[in-house]
Amino acid sequence: MALAAASRARADAFLAEQTELTRLQIEREHKEERLRNWSQFVDYASAVLKLAFEFVVALIVIVIGAAVGAALWTAAHDKGLVIEAFSVPPDLADRGLTGEVVAGKVLDRLTALQAQTVSNRAASSYVNNWGTDIKVQIPETGVSIGELYRYMAQWLGHETHIAGEIYRDDKELSVTARVGGQPATTIQGTDAELDTLIQKSAEAVYRRTQPYRYAVYLAAHGRGAEATAIYRELIAGSSVDDRAWAYIGISAQKSAAGEFADSNAALMRAMAIKPDIPLIYGNLSANHGSLQHDELSLYYIGKTLETTARRGRDASMGELDVRMLDLQSRGGRAQALGDFAQAARINRQLEAMGDDNGSLQQQRINDIGLCGTMRDYACYQVALDETSAAAGVPALNRAASIQQAAFFFENWREAIAQGDLLVARLKRLGPVGAMFIARAVSPLLACAHAGAGDFKAADAALAPMPPDCDTCLRARARIAALKHRWAAAEYWLARAAASAPSTPFPFGDWGEILLWKGDPDAAIFKFRRALDRGPHYFPAMELWGEALIAKNRSDLALAKFSMANSFAPNWGHLHLKWGEALLWTGDAAGAQKQFALAGALFLTPADRAILARLKGDHV
């Protein structure tokens, strides 16, 4: 209404003023909006930074808490051996033999003792506590992290502390070592004998802290009486683990002395205490294997594998040792059932596991015998080249493997030479050596002499063989058969089959001797029984094929030779007989192919003569 009554000029001026006022209001609103946005951004950023700070603080608290918890857990479970600095006379310290240096020497000796102790029980750790002090200061305390951890370990853990001192009187040095609160051990000697005194002190500590392992160390270093005394102490103690393992230790000593009955009795006592230790059954199998008790050895191989597969097996045996024992037992079972190809594969798996307790050398020596058993001469040569003629037990095992391979290659001269070498070396070992001569060396030696036509020497080698030795029974049967004393041969084989009814070998040998005698039907019956026990026992397959050739059924023999080839593809004699069977079936091309394979492989002189004749007659 006012604008309607006003002049045009005044109305325009009023509108202009209102427009300017509105523009200013809009500008102010824009500024306030920007300020509000900035304030909100600052508030948001502040909240984010505050949240991030709280998160970092929480993370730090969690990390510190976890570290403290881990330290407390580690300290509470610390069972290590802590060696503290020794107190030494000033003149020794002036020469550089400070208390820390002497403690370090004790630590070195203990580490060396442990490294020289071959045992299936896990080793304890040693902690040199003055070497773990990290000089990071905790505020306002001046206590280092290392000192704080040692305090927690002493408070919560189960560490064994070793302390000691060296002092002198007018003539001698005395080295005293004490373990925890136990009475001290003092060794005396001259300044020149200080290293020896420290060594003896370390042994005294080792005996106190790990008596079982120290006993194993003593037994391995020719101090059997001392080892036995410690084992007896452990058996009289309260620890179930120590009692069982002490019997295992005594058993090992008895085995090393050739006293296998006493060894097995000790293992039975260990079994009564802790029946889930796989090593008990593995050692029983090994003992019976040394005695050539094939049936019992196979039985305890089965028990070993049952125990290694059992979830609740005893944990006092090291995990790696259990895995190796399981593989060794699988390989042993394969050999006991005539599956030599499988045994060779398992032996290579063991080699791939590395040199645990010096096992790699023995696995490579085993390859020599396995290659010979599979009649694979190229494999045998490689295995022979990969092993050296070392001294001690490895040298004996190598010679035994060579003798075994020579037997299967019918290299009678080499088998006799290695047998004579073994007899000479084993005689120096007393009763245990005599046992191995009678049960392991003499059977092959007697067969080698007989194979060479020297029956007088063969009979002399038979003389020391005991009646409860399965390999010996089979050797007697083979030699009787070579003399054409068929009734005597079957008598010994019947005893061998009754002694080891679950193994294929006596039945395979029986069939072979019946084939020599000229009775292929009876031979096939025995080969069938051998393969019932060892389905992969390829000699029985090959000989079954030969029996079928003798029955003028070469067509059926081809399948047997093909089966045998699956397990012994590099056996020259097999390809020779396979080619012969193909000839009689009219397949001259197939025969020549098998003859070519046979000619490229190892053949005995007799087989080479047969090959030359067969190829010459059918060119």
Side-chain angles (χ1 to χ4, degrees), residues 331-411:
R333 180 172 62 184
Q335 281 189 264
L337 297 177
D339 191 350
F340 304 113
Q342 174 69 358
R345 286 191 291 270
I346 292 172
N347 202 59
R348 287 191 288 273
Q349 291 180 50
L350 285 164
E351 290 175 18
M353 292 182 72
D355 194 17
D356 181 67
N357 294 337
S359 61
L360 181 58
Q361 183 182 36
Q362 183 56 51
Q363 307 309 333
R364 288 178 173 168
I365 289 171
N366 290 345
D367 282 335
I368 297 172
L370 286 168
C371 292
T373 306
M374 291 189 293
R375 282 74 163 177
D376 188 336
Y377 197 76
C379 168
Y380 165 74
Q381 287 290 348
V382 170
L384 202 60
D385 292 341
E386 288 183 348
T387 60
S388 60
V393 173
L396 294 172
N397 289 338
R398 186 174 186 270
S401 291
I402 294 172
Q403 185 198 27
Q404 177 183 330
F407 171 80
F408 288 112
F409 291 128
E410 297 185 23
N411 185 346

Side-chain angles (χ1 to χ4, degrees), residues 239-257:
S239 168
V240 173
D241 278 341
D242 280 346
R243 289 173 58 214
W245 282 92
Y247 276 120
I248 293 173
I250 287 176
S251 168
Q253 286 184 288
K254 297 296 185 181
S255 294

Side-chain angles (χ1 to χ4, degrees), residues 68-80:
V68 170
L72 287 170
W73 190 92
T74 303
H77 292 81
D78 195 335
K79 297 180 180 180

Side-chain angles (χ1 to χ4, degrees), residues 295 298 336-338 490 493-512 514 520-541 543-544 560 563:
E295 189 73 15
L298 179 59
L337 297 177
E490 293 207 49
L493 285 168
R495 287 187 55 179
S499 179
S502 301
T503 68
F505 309 120
F507 300 99
D509 287 0
W510 205 336
E512 184 176 15
L514 287 167
D521 288 317
I524 288 172
F525 176 76
K526 297 300 182 185
F527 295 142
R528 184 178 287 110
R529 296 194 68 185
L531 291 171
D532 285 342
R533 287 148 179 80
H536 296 169
Y537 184 47
F538 64 84
M541 301 172 190
L543 288 166
W544 193 334
K560 300 303 177 185
M563 288 171 57

Side-chain angles (χ1 to χ4, degrees), residues 78-84 106-107 110-111 114 124-129 158-162 178-180 202 205-206 208-210:
D78 195 335
K79 297 180 180 180
L81 189 64
V82 179
I83 306 171
E84 299 174 358
V106 172
L107 177 63
L110 287 169
T111 303
Q114 180 171 283
S124 299
S125 61
Y126 299 102
V127 179
N128 184 345
N129 70 330
H158 305 279
E159 292 178 330
T160 300
H161 283 255
I162 296 173
R178 57 180 59 84
V179 180
V205 168
Y206 200 39
R208 290 279 181 88
T209 56
Q210 297 187 77

Side-chain angles (χ1 to χ4, degrees), residues 381-461:
Q381 287 290 348
V382 170
L384 202 60
D385 292 341
E386 288 183 348
T387 60
S388 60
V393 173
L396 294 172
N397 289 338
R398 186 174 186 270
S401 291
I402 294 172
Q403 185 198 27
Q404 177 183 330
F407 171 80
F408 288 112
F409 291 128
E410 297 185 23
N411 185 346
W412 308 127
R413 180 179 297 179
E414 181 69 9
I416 291 168
Q418 294 297 327
D420 289 342
L421 175 66
L422 283 164
V423 169
R425 291 183 177 178
L426 288 168
K427 280 182 176 178
R428 302 171 194 164
L429 302 182
V432 66
M435 186 280 299
F436 280 109
I437 290 171
R439 294 176 179 269
V441 180
S442 290
L444 292 181
L445 188 56
C447 289
H449 281 303
D454 188 350
F455 289 104
K456 182 177 180 180
D459 290 340

